[in-house]
Amino acid sequence: MQKILLATSNRHKYLEFSRLLYPLTLEALPEDLKRLLPNETAKSYRDNAKLKGMALSEIYEGFVLADDSGLEVFSLHGEPGIFSSRYAGEGSSAQENIDKLLKNLQSKNITDRRARFVCALVLVKKKKVLFETTAFCYGIIADRQKGGGGFGYDPIFIPEGYSLTMAELDEKQKDLVSHRGKACQELKAFFLENRMEGHS
Ligand code: IMP
């Protein structure tokens, strides 16, 4: 029985993916392998995910799952996009990124607040891409932040069909609508269809 190594050092993502992919079993990236994660230098989510998956597949024989995600605001031409985690500068906090985004929309008097979250997933084994997908979650940017759940831009993102921000939804609700939730459903279907084992 094989585990799937998750190519991220983001603890929030590990917890979300573990929940979303159950009963597939994820292995967190050991501390000594985190240095192998390459910088996200590619121009697309997919290629960034592939960079990470391939780098770890160099030293790990089993399944490696890598992702790249971000938030795109349509009226800001897709910003922050692939730079979502460092929108307010290298090493910026989620709060600094949120503040910059809200300030940007306000200072430009932007009323069209439509946005989407994007999640690209790549499954690699022995340096071969076995599966890849990109999934979306559409919504709008709230006027001000609300809620204490989730991470990143969750407190300012209201998914389509909801009046609460992602940070106000409980985990089950977020998993149903989120970009990551949708991508993981596809990955689980892939494992089932191909009768592959990723269970512990
Ligand atoms: P990366 O995929 O590690 O490059 O990080 C993507 C960044 O996009 C995160 O640091 C968050 O700022 C943002 N992001 C991606 N997915 C989510 C989500 O589900 N909720 C909130 N923010 C997210």
Side-chain angles (χ1 to χ4, degrees), residues 141-190:
I141 303 299
D143 293 331
R144 58 187 180 86
Q145 68 187 84
K146 276 190 281 175
F151 70 102
Y153 297 90
D154 280 347
I156 56 165
F157 185 85
I158 302 175
E160 225 167 56
Y162 287 79
S163 53
L164 300 174
T165 67
M166 207 78 127
E168 293 177 296
L169 298 182
D170 64 35
E171 287 176 350
K172 268 195 180 147
Q173 287 171 313
K174 177 175 179 182
D175 292 351
L176 270 179
V177 296
S178 85
H179 46 316
R180 206 166 290 108
K182 290 173 189 165
C184 285
Q185 285 305 324
E186 288 184 45
L187 179 64
K188 280 164 90 168
F190 171 80

Side-chain angles (χ1 to χ4, degrees), residues 13 40 52 67-70 84-85 117 151-154 174 179-180:
K13 277 193 186 174
E40 295 176 355
K52 293 186 257 187
D67 85 309
D68 193 37
S69 55
S84 291
S85 63
F117 274 124
F151 70 102
Y153 297 90
D154 280 347
K174 177 175 179 182
H179 46 316
R180 206 166 290 108

Side-chain angles (χ1 to χ4, degrees), residues 7-28:
T8 184
S9 53
N10 181 332
R11 181 84 192 144
H12 283 288
K13 277 193 186 174
Y14 172 74
L15 293 175
E16 263 200 39
F17 274 118
S18 296
R19 202 169 73 219
L20 288 165
L21 288 172
Y22 181 84
L24 301 175
T25 311
L26 281 192
E27 191 178 339

